């Protein structure tokens, strides 16, 4: 069923959040009519961002951003890059990524490894013929129409930590038990936190509007890594405005407590909308109840790209009033932002939005 959501309008920025419970993709329509896609995901065999674009007749994408190599952020990227004309690609640091190395070095009998390898191979093919950039904190801003996209992570300390951990694995007498368990399918998640540490966080500015897409950036490591290191570096460089007084935040790492950082949210201010792509795998899933509770003190509206009974039971004690009437169709959230910062939220399918 098509996504029943409003299309872009004149002099407004629209962010569409897709996240069916495993995987996420964010699509942005700029005031000038350009499209940006951040990450890719599949659901029931469908490449969701490609399907979304085709329903709207979009054949040209100004920018694709690949935040990191976790399958829930990269699955279907090969279909996306083959299905539309992409002018520019920004990606995570490949050489420091354990999943990227494993997918290219091991047998690919497992479906996850095959999907990961196909996505990574599509990046290689794109880089051979198009303009691609490896994103770090020091990467320059990209200007598309009137909108500025600034990568603010990963930090060099996070990259160094990832390289050291990979070297320890590859130089040892055997792969570690967690890595072997992931390769054989016994463990569903790529072991270790270093992959999330390589996440490309995006600070987006348009006129006075401020948006933050932190991918799966976590509050891990010492004072020079993760959220703590990022805030210190932004402060040192006089760039804290990129994460302060925000209008819209996509909550990091599906609303896990490990990605919550009190100082970061204190700087975000009272955001108009906090959007979450839930993780419905495992016994408890995400977002955590504690994160939902904390968001009540930091956001006026909570938007979930998909909601299952586990998430609903956590949300209900804290958020009771629907922020909009849901539409029919596949689950997704559309957040429309005017130049003056006025925001409207629309949901479809099993997505939902609630006021404080």
């Amino acid at each position: 069923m098509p996504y029943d959501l409003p299309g872009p309008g004149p002099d407004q920025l629209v962010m569409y959040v897709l996240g069916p419970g495993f995987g996420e993709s964010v699509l942005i329509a700029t005031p000038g009519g350009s499209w940006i896609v951040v990450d890719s995901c599949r659901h029931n065999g469908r490449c969701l961002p490609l399907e979304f674009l085709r329903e709207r007749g979009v054949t040209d994408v100004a920018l694709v951003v690949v935040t990191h190599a976790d399958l829930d952020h990269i699955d279907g990227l090969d279909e996306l890059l083959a299905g539309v004309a992409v002018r520019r690609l920004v990606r995570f640091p490949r050489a420091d990524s354990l999943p990227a190395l494993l997918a290219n070095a091991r047998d690919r009998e497992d479906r996850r490894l095959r999907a990961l390898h196909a996505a990574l191979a599509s990046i290689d093919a794109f880089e051979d013929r198009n303009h691609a950039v490896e994103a770090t904190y020091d990467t320059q801003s990209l200007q598309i129409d009137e909108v500025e996209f600034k990568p603010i992570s990963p930090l060099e300390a996070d990259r160094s930590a990832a390289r050291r951990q990979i070297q320890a694995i590859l130089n040892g007498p055997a792969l570690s038990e967690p890595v072997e368990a992931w390769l054989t399918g016994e463990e569903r998640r790529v072991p270790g936190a270093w992959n999330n540490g390589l996440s490309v966080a995006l600070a987006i500015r348009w006129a006075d509007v401020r948006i933050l897409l932190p991918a799966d950036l976590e509050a891990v490591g010492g004072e020079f890594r993760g959220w703590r290191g990022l805030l210190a570096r932004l402060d040192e460089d006089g760039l804290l405005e990129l994460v302060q007084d925000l209008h819209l935040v996509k909550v990091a790492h599906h609303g896990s407590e490990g990605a919550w950082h009190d100082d970061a949210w204190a700087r975000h201010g009272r955001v108009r909308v906090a959007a979450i792509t839930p993780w419905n795998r495992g016994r408890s899933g995400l977002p955590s109840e504690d994160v939902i509770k904390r968001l009540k003190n930091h956001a006026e509206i909570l938007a979930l790209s998909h909601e299952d009974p586990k998430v609903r039971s956590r949300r209900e004690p804290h958020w009771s009033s629907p922020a909009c009437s849901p539409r029919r169709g596949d689950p997704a959230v559309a957040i429309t932002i005017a130049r003056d910062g006025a925001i409207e939220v629309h949901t479809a399918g099993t997505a939902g939005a609630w006021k404080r």
Side-chain angles (χ1 to χ4, degrees), residues 17-347:
V17 183
L18 315 181
F22 177 79
E24 70 173 59
S25 181
V26 174
L27 300 96
I28 298 170
T30 72
S34 297
W35 284 85
I36 291 86
V37 180
V38 181
D39 287 338
S40 178
C41 63
R42 279 195 183 103
H43 183 63
N44 293 333
R46 301 148 52 202
C47 177
L48 298 189
L50 178 58
E51 181 181 78
F52 187 96
L53 293 169
R54 283 177 170 170
E55 286 181 2
R56 280 150 184 78
V58 177
T59 58
D60 182 89
V61 171
L63 173 67
V64 168
V65 180
V66 189
T67 63
H68 61 301
D70 277 349
L71 191 58
D72 60 317
H73 288 256
I74 202 172
D75 199 4
L77 181 65
D78 51 322
E79 293 182 46
L80 176 65
L81 294 181
V84 292
V86 176
R87 281 178 260 166
R88 180 176 293 184
L89 183 141
V90 170
R91 61 164 175 80
F92 62 96
R94 287 276 301 276
D96 305 326
S97 171
L98 177 64
L101 292 176
L102 291 176
N104 288 317
R106 303 285 291 189
D107 293 334
R108 291 180 288 276
E109 295 181 2
D110 183 84
R111 187 202 72 81
R112 294 165 302 151
L113 280 176
R114 290 199 306 271
L116 188 57
H117 176 76
L120 295 169
S122 72
I123 295 177
D124 291 336
F126 184 91
E127 289 180 331
D128 287 341
R129 65 182 188 274
N130 293 81
H131 185 46
V133 174
E134 178 178 282
T136 69
Y137 173 89
D138 294 314
T139 301
Q140 295 296 312
S141 299
L142 298 174
Q143 193 83 20
I144 299 176
D145 299 332
E146 303 174 58
V147 186
E148 178 186 4
F149 297 84
K150 173 67 176 80
I152 55 175
S153 73
L155 301 170
E156 185 53 44
D158 286 306
R159 296 188 61 184
S160 295
R163 286 193 291 266
R164 289 193 300 271
Q165 290 166 325
I166 290 174
Q167 286 175 342
I169 292 171
L170 298 181
N171 293 336
L175 292 176
S176 67
E177 290 185 6
V179 172
E180 288 286 5
W182 182 76
L183 287 170
T184 58
E186 297 175 19
E187 172 59 46
R188 301 302 298 177
R189 186 181 178 193
V190 177
W194 53 79
N195 201 42
N196 288 344
L198 296 176
S199 288
V200 178
L202 279 180
I204 301 171
R205 295 192 289 189
W206 170 52
D208 293 327
V209 174
R210 300 288 184 270
I211 299 170
L212 181 64
L213 306 181
D216 282 1
L217 189 64
E218 293 191 275
V220 297
E223 61 179 316
F224 301 111
R225 294 179 55 199
W227 277 111
R228 188 177 177 186
L230 175 58
L231 294 178
R233 184 69 186 276
L234 290 171
D235 188 22
E236 177 183 334
D237 294 340
L239 296 174
L240 276 173
E241 65 177 22
L242 294 175
V243 297
Q244 291 184 159
D245 301 321
L246 302 174
H247 293 78
L248 168 61
V249 175
K250 191 193 75 65
V251 180
H253 196 225
H254 316 287
S256 73
E257 293 188 45
W260 183 274
H261 189 62
D262 284 330
D263 192 18
W265 277 96
R267 295 180 182 280
H268 296 346
R270 176 75 73 176
V271 304
R272 291 293 310 280
V273 181
I276 301 181
T277 54
W279 172 277
N280 292 337
R281 298 286 180 94
R283 295 180 179 178
S284 57
L286 297 171
S288 69
E289 182 176 0
D290 193 43
V291 166
I292 289 181
K293 182 178 180 180
R294 293 180 199 177
L295 282 171
K296 187 175 183 181
N297 297 319
H298 292 277
E300 297 178 15
I301 296 175
L302 172 69
L304 291 162
S305 61
H306 171 71
E307 189 182 32
D308 72 354
K310 289 180 291 187
V311 174
R312 187 177 301 113
S313 65
R314 301 184 197 113
R315 185 262 306 163
E316 284 176 344
H318 313 295
W319 303 74
S320 57
S321 302
C324 59
S325 298
R327 300 168 179 238
R328 299 178 63 186
D330 287 325
V333 175
I335 304 162
T336 301
I337 309 177
R339 187 180 292 273
D340 62 2
I343 291 181
E344 293 183 359
V345 178
H346 307 268
T347 63

